[in-house]
Amino acid sequence: MKTQISILVGTMTGTAQLCAQEVELALGDDDTQVETVLMDGLDASVFSKKSIFLICTSTYGQGDVPDNARAFYEHLKSARPNLSHVRYGVFGLGDRTYAETFNFGGKRFDELLTELGAERIGERHMHDASSGILPEETALEWSQEWLRKVKERLAQPA
Ligand SMILES: Cc1cc2nc3c(=O)[nH]c(=O)nc-3n(C[C@H](O)[C@H](O)[C@H](O)COP(=O)(O)O)c2cc1C
C-alpha cells in the first residue's frame, strides 16, 4: 500500500509553500503519494485522512502562526479533538534574528498536536532565514531523511 503524506502549509509570503512543493516533488514516487494543502479553511476533519502529516509553517508577529494558519490552530486548540491516531512531522521556518520567538509557529503546532495525542516522527526542523541557506534545499534533504523515519515507524506495530 502507498504511503500517503499530506503537507499542511502555513505561510505569509509563500516560502513555506515553496518548501512544500519541493518536498512533494522529492518524495512522490510509486510508493509514496504526496499532497500539499494550504491551512486556510482547514479544521480537525483533515486528520480523518489516512495520511501522515507534515506541518510546514513559518512564524510571524510575535511568535505567532501565519494568518492563513490561525483559524485552524485556534480551532484545534478549542475543539481539542483526539488525535491519537495521527502521526506527523514538523518543518518550521523562522529567523534567529527573532531570538525570543525563533520558529515558534512550528513549535506551537508541535506542542498542540502532541497535547492532543498525536505522535511526532523525527525531530522538529527549525529553518533559519538569517543563515543564508535556501529553505527549499534544506526541505528537500530533510524530508528524504524524514520519510525514511516515517517508513521505519510504519513498519513497527501501532
Ligand atoms: C513581520 C515578520 C515577523 C516575523 N516574526 C518571526 C518570529 O517571531 N520568529 C521567527 O522565528 N521568525 C519570524 N519571522 C521570519 C519568517 O518566519 C521567515 O522569514 C519565514 O521564512 C517566512 O516564511 P513564509 O514566506 O512562508 O511566511 C518574521 C518575519 C516577518 C516579515
Side-chain angles (χ1 to χ4, degrees), residues 10-17 58-63 93-95 98 101-104 129:
T11 185
M12 207 78 135
T13 55
T15 319
Q17 192 174 5
S58 62
T59 306
Y60 271 84
Q62 309 208 316
L93 295 97
D95 187 324
Y98 300 87
T101 56
F102 177 55
N103 246 287
F104 269 32

